[in-house]
């Protein structure tokens, strides 16, 4: 991605990388000092990751636990800040360990500067993971 990549284009590209299970390329979309926040994270899960290395470590095992199949709903909203978008989306797939369906709705607030994600606030539903511990790819010990 070039340094003038629009936030929505970068985000769409990131979704494709997640579907392709190319976590390394997805992490490469991040600024070295990017911040990934999870305001609704359950106890024992990280609430804030700082830096590309921490984000890579967090996401490394994602495809081993959650097999994403599609994002059937993605709606992007431009904010008054040109580099920030709000995304409403739904991800579907299966939990690798059990074969159970994975169906998660997200709202994300994403800021992109110089073609890299600098801040990502991920509002996901923690009730889904609390109901099925097999979706816990973080290795947390709640």
């Amino acid at each position: 991605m070039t340094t003038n990549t629009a936030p929505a284009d970068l985000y769409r590209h990131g979704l494709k990388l997640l579907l392709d299970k190319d976590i390394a390329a997805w992490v490469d979309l991040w600024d070295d000092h990017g911040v990934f926040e999870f305001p609704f994270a359950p106890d024992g899960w990280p609430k804030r990751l700082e830096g590309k290395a921490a984000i890579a470590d967090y996401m490394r095992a994602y495809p081993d636990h959650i097999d994403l199949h599609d994002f059937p709903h993605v709606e992007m909203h431009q904010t008054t800040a040109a580099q920030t978008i709000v995304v409403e989306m739904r991800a579907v797939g299966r939990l690798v360990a059990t074969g159970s369906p994975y169906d998660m709705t997200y709202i994300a607030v994403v800021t992109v500067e110089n073609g890299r994600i600098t801040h990502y606030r991920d509002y996901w539903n923690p009730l889904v993971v609390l109901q099925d511990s097999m979706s816990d790819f973080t290795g947390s010990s709640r």
Side-chain angles (χ1 to χ4, degrees):
M1 301 264 104
T2 63
T3 57
N4 62 355
T5 302
D9 294 337
L10 186 72
Y11 196 85
R12 278 188 199 91
H13 179 64
L15 294 179
K16 181 186 178 318
L17 293 172
L18 289 174
L19 289 173
D20 291 344
K21 297 165 186 38
D22 192 345
I23 300 303
W26 184 84
V27 170
D28 281 343
L29 300 178
W30 285 79
D31 181 81
D32 288 341
H33 305 286
V35 174
F36 202 176
E37 291 185 287
F38 311 94
F40 297 145
D43 289 341
W45 285 58
K47 298 215 182 274
R48 181 181 174 96
L49 302 169
E50 295 187 25
K52 187 186 267 190
I55 294 162
D57 188 50
Y58 174 80
M59 290 296 292
R60 184 170 290 112
Y62 189 92
D64 296 333
H65 296 274
I66 299 172
D67 178 19
L68 288 176
H69 296 168
D70 193 15
F71 294 99
H73 172 80
V74 178
E75 188 174 342
M76 297 193 197
H77 309 277
Q78 184 60 56
T79 68
T80 56
Q83 295 307 103
T84 300
I85 57 173
V86 174
V87 182
E88 297 176 74
M89 67 179 202
R90 180 174 162 234
V92 295
R94 69 177 181 86
L95 299 177
V96 173
T98 64
S100 299
Y102 178 80
D103 193 336
M104 178 72 76
T105 300
Y106 301 85
I107 294 177
V109 180
V110 182
T111 301
V112 173
E113 295 176 19
N114 299 318
R116 298 281 181 246
I117 299 168
T118 57
H119 195 252
Y120 191 124
R121 195 171 300 117
D122 194 359
Y123 295 93
W124 56 277
N125 182 357
L127 296 176
V128 172
V129 257
L130 295 174
Q131 292 169 2
D132 192 335
S133 63
M134 296 311 293
S135 59
D136 181 355
F137 64 92
T138 68
S140 66
S141 58
R142 291 184 300 283

